[in-house]
Amino acid sequence: MLKGGIIGCGFFAANHLAAWQLIDGAAIVAVCDQDPARARAAGAAGDGARVFDDAATMLASEALDFVDIITTAPSHRPLVELAARHRVPVICQKPFAPTLDDARAMVDACAQAGVPLMVHENFRWQSPLMAVKNIVSSGEIGEPAYARISFRHAYDIYTNQPYLKTEPQLAIMDLGIHLLDLARYFLGEATRLHCRTQRVNPAVAGEDCVTILLDHAGGAVSLVDFSFFTKLEPDPFPQTLVRIEGTKGTVELLAGYHLRVSGPGWSREEDVEPAVPAFGAKPWHNIQESVVNIQRHWIECLQNDREPATSGADNLKTIDLVFRAYESAATGRAS
Ligand code: NAD
Ligand code: 89V
């Protein structure tokens, strides 16, 4: 049984904690939050895990096989480097880092310590999006030429995550990062991008509406668009809608988790809505299911000495696109 420790017991950690209970071969034996009340609450929910309010103390006193860091980005580098010093494999939530330097430093620290590092980039682990990827990989729609990856809603994200309201870098850092990762996942590496940002909601500090056009190495283009201020009914949060057009056909992931594959004279449809995990609830079930899937992948990688799909090194390419998107929006030029 691999023994895990959690650092950060806030809003999203409840999903991690509940999901770990479904993973064979892993048990959370310690939880830590600098807010002792949050740490105690997580410990009570986590089947007798030991409780800490200081990550250094937890790592010094527990023999852990991995840590799962569920704090916001500014604390990631010191916490990942702490785990690397203790030679403990690390999962780190997204956004991986507030700067590319920090992201590279964490990858280097773990490489030098010889410990695996995975970024909790869970959108790739949503089963409806994996179904889209499988169709692209199968060749059924031919060679992809165009993709649109879209996430537009007006769900109140600020009640659960109040820190987002004051973030000067809001939507690209928080959500665009997932969608840029999906663009890489579906179409391969991006070579160039153009980005336009808008701040539509006057009550938030950062951009809340973003349009990004990407060129991919194989010649395909993708359009990644997302908004936190799109008023519509039914509100599709938190669904990612996808359309990928290839040389033989088109795959669409439509609202309501309808997967449609079609070409000249043929079409088929499938309901790909994920089940609601025992600990979960709609509309969060697709995100909650992906947390279980990525945690299972991490444990399989640790057990079999394999590199996680969303390793720190892989995520450098995604976070690089994030910073290039901000640069393009600021300069008005391609990056
Ligand atoms: P939160 O502020 O509710 O919780 C973070 C917790 O970490 C807080 O309780 C804080 O006290 C604690 N903390 C911070 N620094 C610490 C340190 N050095 N040592 C110990 N504890 C520390 O934040 P949240 O909403 O749970 O988000 C956490 C991260 O998860 C963010 O980066 C967010 O973007 C990400 N997130 C990811 C998803 C997803 O689907 N992948 C969804 C929601 C949030
Ligand atoms: O924090 C996040 O990853 C968010 C969401 C809750 C939609 O996943 O973007």
Side-chain angles (χ1 to χ4, degrees), residues 11-12 93-95 120-123 126 151 153 155 157 160-161 163-164 171 173-178 228 237-239 284 287:
F11 160 64
F12 202 66
Q93 253 294 350
K94 50 61 64 175
H120 186 107
E121 179 41 77
N122 53 325
F123 272 39
Q126 290 177 21
F151 194 111
H153 69 88
Y155 182 90
I157 53 173
N160 290 326
Q161 296 171 274
Y163 52 88
L164 292 176
M173 199 52 119
D174 180 62
L175 175 73
I177 199 164
H178 290 302
F228 296 166
F237 179 89
Q239 297 175 55
W284 286 88
I287 306 254

Coordinates of all heavy atoms in Angstrom, one line a residue, residues 11-12 93-95 120-123 126 151 153 155 157 160-161 163-164 171 173-178 228 237-239 284 287, ligand 2:
F11 N -10.9 24.1 -0.7 CA -12.1 23.7 -1.5 C -11.9 22.5 -2.3 O -12.7 21.5 -2.1 CB -12.4 24.9 -2.4 CG -13.3 24.5 -3.5 CD1 -14.6 24.1 -3.3 CD2 -12.9 24.6 -4.9 CE1 -15.4 23.7 -4.4 CE2 -13.7 24.2 -5.9 CZ -14.9 23.8 -5.7
F12 N -10.9 22.4 -3.1 CA -10.8 21.3 -4.1 C -10.3 20.0 -3.4 O -10.5 18.9 -3.9 CB -10.0 21.6 -5.3 CG -10.4 20.8 -6.5 CD1 -11.6 20.8 -7.1 CD2 -9.5 19.9 -7.0 CE1 -12.0 20.0 -8.1 CE2 -9.8 19.0 -8.1 CZ -11.1 19.1 -8.6
Q93 N -1.0 20.3 -8.0 CA -2.2 20.8 -8.7 C -1.8 21.9 -9.8 O -0.7 22.4 -9.7 CB -3.2 21.5 -7.7 CG -4.4 20.7 -7.4 CD -5.4 20.5 -8.6 OE1 -5.2 21.1 -9.7 NE2 -6.3 19.6 -8.5
K94 N -2.7 22.1 -10.7 CA -2.5 23.2 -11.7 C -3.0 24.5 -11.0 O -3.8 24.4 -10.0 CB -3.3 22.9 -13.0 CG -4.7 22.5 -12.9 CD -5.7 23.4 -12.2 CE -6.0 24.7 -12.9 NZ -7.1 25.5 -12.2
P95 N -2.7 25.7 -11.5 CA -1.6 25.9 -12.4 C -0.3 25.6 -11.8 O -0.1 26.0 -10.6 CB -1.8 27.4 -12.7 CG -2.7 28.0 -11.7 CD -3.5 26.9 -11.1
H120 N -1.3 17.8 -11.6 CA -2.7 17.3 -11.6 C -3.5 18.0 -12.7 O -4.3 18.9 -12.5 CB -3.4 17.5 -10.2 CG -4.7 17.0 -10.1 ND1 -5.0 15.8 -9.3 CD2 -5.9 17.3 -10.6 CE1 -6.3 15.6 -9.4 NE2 -6.9 16.5 -10.2
E121 N -3.2 17.7 -14.0 CA -3.8 18.3 -15.2 C -4.9 17.3 -15.6 O -4.7 16.4 -16.4 CB -2.8 18.5 -16.3 CG -3.4 19.1 -17.5 CD -4.5 20.1 -17.3 OE1 -4.1 21.3 -16.9 OE2 -5.7 19.8 -17.4
N122 N -6.1 17.4 -14.9 CA -7.1 16.4 -15.0 C -8.1 16.4 -16.1 O -8.8 15.5 -16.3 CB -7.9 16.4 -13.6 CG -8.5 17.7 -13.3 OD1 -7.9 18.8 -13.6 ND2 -9.6 17.8 -12.7
F123 N -8.1 17.5 -16.9 CA -9.1 17.6 -18.0 C -8.8 16.4 -19.0 O -9.8 15.9 -19.5 CB -9.1 18.9 -18.7 CG -10.0 19.9 -18.0 CD1 -10.1 20.0 -16.6 CD2 -10.8 20.8 -18.8 CE1 -11.0 20.9 -16.0 CE2 -11.7 21.7 -18.2 CZ -11.8 21.7 -16.8
Q126 N -10.9 13.4 -18.2 CA -12.3 13.3 -18.2 C -12.7 12.3 -19.3 O -12.3 12.5 -20.5 CB -12.9 14.7 -18.6 CG -12.7 15.7 -17.4 CD -13.2 17.1 -17.8 OE1 -14.1 17.2 -18.7 NE2 -12.8 18.1 -17.1
F151 N -15.3 26.6 -23.7 CA -15.8 26.4 -22.3 C -16.3 27.8 -21.9 O -15.6 28.7 -21.5 CB -14.6 26.0 -21.5 CG -14.9 25.5 -20.1 CD1 -14.7 24.1 -19.8 CD2 -15.4 26.3 -19.1 CE1 -14.9 23.7 -18.5 CE2 -15.6 25.8 -17.8 CZ -15.4 24.5 -17.5
H153 N -19.5 29.9 -19.9 CA -20.5 29.7 -18.8 C -20.6 31.0 -18.0 O -19.8 31.9 -18.1 CB -20.2 28.5 -18.0 CG -19.0 28.8 -17.1 ND1 -19.0 29.3 -15.8 CD2 -17.6 28.5 -17.3 CE1 -17.8 29.5 -15.3 NE2 -17.0 29.0 -16.2
Y155 N -21.4 30.3 -14.5 CA -21.5 29.6 -13.2 C -20.7 30.4 -12.2 O -19.6 31.0 -12.5 CB -20.9 28.2 -13.3 CG -21.0 27.4 -12.0 CD1 -22.1 26.6 -11.8 CD2 -19.9 27.3 -11.1 CE1 -22.1 25.7 -10.6 CE2 -19.9 26.5 -10.0 CZ -21.0 25.8 -9.8 OH -21.1 25.0 -8.6
I157 N -18.1 30.8 -10.0 CA -16.9 30.1 -9.6 C -16.3 30.8 -8.4 O -15.5 30.3 -7.7 CB -15.8 30.0 -10.7 CG1 -15.6 31.4 -11.3 CG2 -16.3 29.1 -11.8 CD1 -14.4 31.5 -12.3
N160 N -16.9 29.4 -4.5 CA -16.0 28.3 -4.0 C -14.5 28.8 -4.0 O -13.7 28.3 -3.2 CB -16.1 27.1 -5.0 CG -17.4 26.4 -4.8 OD1 -18.0 26.4 -3.8 ND2 -17.9 25.9 -5.9
Q161 N -14.1 29.6 -5.0 CA -12.7 30.0 -5.2 C -12.6 31.5 -5.1 O -12.3 32.1 -6.2 CB -12.2 29.4 -6.5 CG -12.2 27.9 -6.5 CD -11.9 27.3 -7.9 OE1 -12.8 27.2 -8.7 NE2 -10.7 27.0 -8.2
Y163 N -10.4 33.6 -4.2 CA -9.1 34.2 -4.6 C -9.1 34.5 -6.1 O -8.3 35.3 -6.5 CB -7.9 33.2 -4.3 CG -8.1 31.8 -4.8 CD1 -7.7 31.4 -6.1 CD2 -8.7 30.8 -4.0 CE1 -7.9 30.1 -6.5 CE2 -8.9 29.5 -4.5 CZ -8.5 29.2 -5.8 OH -8.7 27.9 -6.2
L164 N -10.0 33.9 -6.9 CA -10.0 34.1 -8.3 C -10.4 35.5 -8.7 O -10.0 36.1 -9.6 CB -10.9 33.1 -9.1 CG -10.5 31.7 -9.1 CD1 -11.5 30.8 -9.7 CD2 -9.1 31.5 -9.8
A171 N -8.5 34.0 -16.2 CA -9.1 32.9 -16.9 C -8.1 32.0 -17.6 O -8.2 30.8 -17.7 CB -10.1 33.4 -17.9
M173 N -4.9 31.5 -16.8 CA -4.2 30.8 -15.8 C -5.1 29.7 -15.1 O -4.6 28.6 -14.9 CB -3.7 31.8 -14.7 CG -2.6 31.4 -13.9 SD -1.2 30.7 -14.7 CE 0.1 31.8 -14.2
D174 N -6.3 30.0 -14.8 CA -7.2 29.1 -14.1 C -7.8 28.0 -15.0 O -7.8 26.8 -14.6 CB -8.3 29.8 -13.4 CG -9.2 28.9 -12.6 OD1 -8.7 28.2 -11.7 OD2 -10.4 28.7 -13.0
L175 N -8.3 28.4 -16.1 CA -9.0 27.5 -17.0 C -8.4 27.2 -18.3 O -8.3 26.1 -18.8 CB -10.5 28.0 -17.2 CG -11.3 27.1 -18.1 CD1 -11.6 25.8 -17.5 CD2 -12.5 27.8 -18.6
G176 N -7.9 28.3 -18.9 CA -7.2 28.2 -20.3 C -6.1 27.2 -20.2 O -5.9 26.5 -21.2
I177 N -5.5 27.1 -19.1 CA -4.4 26.1 -18.9 C -4.9 24.7 -19.3 O -4.2 23.9 -19.9 CB -3.8 26.2 -17.5 CG1 -2.4 25.6 -17.4 CG2 -4.7 25.7 -16.5 CD1 -1.7 26.1 -16.2
H178 N -6.1 24.3 -18.8 CA -6.6 23.0 -19.1 C -6.9 22.9 -20.6 O -6.7 21.8 -21.2 CB -8.0 22.8 -18.4 CG -8.0 22.7 -16.9 ND1 -7.3 21.7 -16.3 CD2 -8.6 23.4 -15.9 CE1 -7.5 21.8 -14.9 NE2 -8.3 22.8 -14.7
F228 N -16.1 33.3 -18.5 CA -16.8 33.1 -17.2 C -18.0 34.0 -17.1 O -18.5 34.3 -16.0 CB -15.8 33.5 -16.1 CG -14.6 32.7 -16.0 CD1 -13.5 33.1 -15.2 CD2 -14.5 31.4 -16.6 CE1 -12.4 32.3 -15.0 CE2 -13.3 30.6 -16.4 CZ -12.3 31.1 -15.6
F237 N -21.7 24.6 -17.6 CA -20.6 24.4 -16.7 C -20.7 23.0 -16.1 O -21.7 22.6 -15.6 CB -20.6 25.5 -15.6 CG -19.5 25.3 -14.6 CD1 -18.3 25.9 -14.8 CD2 -19.7 24.6 -13.4 CE1 -17.2 25.8 -13.9 CE2 -18.6 24.4 -12.5 CZ -17.4 25.0 -12.7
P238 N -19.6 22.3 -15.9 CA -18.2 22.6 -16.3 C -17.9 21.7 -17.5 O -16.9 20.9 -17.5 CB -17.4 22.2 -15.1 CG -18.2 21.0 -14.5 CD -19.6 21.1 -14.9
Q239 N -18.7 21.7 -18.6 CA -18.4 20.9 -19.8 C -17.5 21.6 -20.8 O -17.7 22.8 -21.0 CB -19.7 20.6 -20.5 CG -20.7 19.8 -19.7 CD -22.0 19.6 -20.4 OE1 -22.1 19.1 -21.5 NE2 -23.1 20.0 -19.7
W284 N -20.6 18.7 -11.1 CA -19.2 18.6 -11.0 C -18.7 17.2 -11.3 O -17.5 16.9 -11.2 CB -18.7 18.9 -9.5 CG -18.7 20.4 -9.2 CD1 -19.8 21.1 -8.8 CD2 -17.7 21.3 -9.4 NE1 -19.4 22.4 -8.7 CE2 -18.1 22.6 -9.0 CE3 -16.3 21.2 -9.8 CZ2 -17.3 23.7 -9.1 CZ3 -15.5 22.3 -9.9 CH2 -16.0 23.6 -9.5
I287 N -15.6 16.5 -13.6 CA -14.4 16.9 -13.0 C -14.0 15.8 -11.9 O -12.9 15.4 -11.8 CB -14.5 18.3 -12.4 CG1 -15.0 19.3 -13.4 CG2 -13.2 18.7 -11.7 CD1 -14.0 20.3 -13.9
Ligands
89V2 O1 -9.9 25.3 -11.1 C1 -10.2 24.8 -12.2 O2 -9.5 23.9 -12.6 C2 -11.4 25.3 -12.8 C3 -12.5 24.3 -12.9 C4 -13.2 24.2 -11.6 C5 -13.5 24.6 -14.0 O3 -12.0 23.0 -13.2 O4 -11.0 25.8 -14.0

